[in-house]
Amino acid sequence: MSLTLVSFNICPYVLRVVAALNHLKIPYEIKYIDLENKPDWFVKASPLEKVPILFVGETVLFESLVILDYVNTLAPQSLLPNDNLQKALNRARAEFSGEIIGTFWSVFSAKTEESFKNSIADLKWYFEKLEGWLQQSKFIFSNELTLADFAYAPIFTLFDALKPLLKFNLYEGFPRLQEYSQSILSLPGVQSSKVENYDQLIQERIKKGDPFFLTQ
């Protein structure tokens, strides 16, 4: 059954899915749309009018972590534990990444010093949780790569894209997290998940917002 993924070109949530599809070597097609001018077929297909959505034949899946779960079922070897409780725990770790993506945008769109510092404090709170997990295992859930790790891929690609604009080290004080980020970024599936000129597109989008961090 054919798979068609629909997104816009720098959506962080679709990057999770593309990285997993590439890693698992599952064939798919991807279509990019303009969210400012959503085509009618997309509005009809996407219940929340958000990306990504995945067409499985004519059936539509939405929400990136749900799509990840489905994609994993298509692989000869699952990226999830066999035990149901461990599967649930793995999904919980994956869900945690969404909070960090939201905080990322708060940090890099903050207009004032106060809002920037508050968002950085929130980000470091999440980083402390991740650092604790990563001191216990090589990856976010265990010593083996699992589905939850792909949920974190967009976080590290976003940070990496903005590195030329930063005058501070986001990972200062979080050595295991920095190591983990490099491990995820080095995965071929993650490296091939970005569109051409991804870093430039991210930088341009952030600069348009005239954020506080650029004044430092």
Side-chain angles (χ1 to χ4, degrees), residues 125-143:
W125 186 88
Y126 289 116
F127 279 8
E128 286 171 4
K129 303 290 184 183
L130 296 180
E131 186 74 11
W133 290 339
L134 291 165
Q135 285 176 358
Q136 300 172 38
S137 58
K138 180 179 178 181
F139 294 102
I140 204 64
F141 181 74
S142 69
N143 287 324

Side-chain angles (χ1 to χ4, degrees), residues 2 18-19 45 56 60 77-78 118 124 133 163-164 190 198 207:
S2 64
V18 173
V56 184
V60 179
Q77 188 161 351
S78 175
N118 288 339
K124 288 187 175 181
W133 290 339
K163 200 181 296 182
V190 173
Y198 174 86
K207 286 177 180 177

Side-chain angles (χ1 to χ4, degrees), residues 61-112:
L61 290 179
F62 59 102
E63 295 295 338
S64 61
L65 293 181
V66 174
I67 296 171
L68 267 186
D69 284 340
Y70 174 71
V71 162
N72 182 65
T73 68
L74 304 178
Q77 188 161 351
S78 175
L79 287 171
L80 286 172
N82 292 324
D83 179 78
N84 286 334
L85 178 57
Q86 294 302 307
K87 281 181 184 176
L89 289 170
N90 190 275
R91 176 60 181 267
R93 296 268 172 108
E95 288 281 356
F96 192 80
S97 67
E99 299 294 325
I100 302 172
I101 294 172
T103 305
F104 168 92
W105 293 116
S106 297
V107 168
F108 294 108
S109 64
K111 301 285 189 182
T112 66

Side-chain angles (χ1 to χ4, degrees), residues 92-204:
R93 296 268 172 108
E95 288 281 356
F96 192 80
S97 67
E99 299 294 325
I100 302 172
I101 294 172
T103 305
F104 168 92
W105 293 116
S106 297
V107 168
F108 294 108
S109 64
K111 301 285 189 182
T112 66
E113 182 177 7
E114 181 182 6
S115 59
F116 173 75
K117 287 183 175 179
N118 288 339
S119 296
I120 281 287
D122 290 342
L123 188 64
K124 288 187 175 181
W125 186 88
Y126 289 116
F127 279 8
E128 286 171 4
K129 303 290 184 183
L130 296 180
E131 186 74 11
W133 290 339
L134 291 165
Q135 285 176 358
Q136 300 172 38
S137 58
K138 180 179 178 181
F139 294 102
I140 204 64
F141 181 74
S142 69
N143 287 324
E144 301 294 329
L145 188 71
T146 66
L147 203 60
D149 293 298
F150 289 93
Y152 288 83
I155 296 169
F156 304 130
T157 55
L158 286 167
F159 286 160
D160 198 53
L162 290 180
K163 200 181 296 182
L165 303 181
L166 301 181
K167 296 178 182 177
F168 54 94
N169 179 9
L170 279 165
Y171 300 119
E172 186 175 356
F174 305 101
R176 277 293 296 120
L177 181 58
Q178 185 159 12
E179 289 175 11
Y180 175 63
S181 72
Q182 293 305 310
S183 296
I184 297 302
L185 288 172
S186 68
L187 294 171
V190 173
Q191 291 178 355
S192 60
S193 66
K194 301 187 296 183
V195 296
E196 188 177 357
N197 298 325
Y198 174 86
D199 290 6
Q200 180 182 344
L201 291 169
I202 291 291
Q203 291 170 23
E204 288 174 354

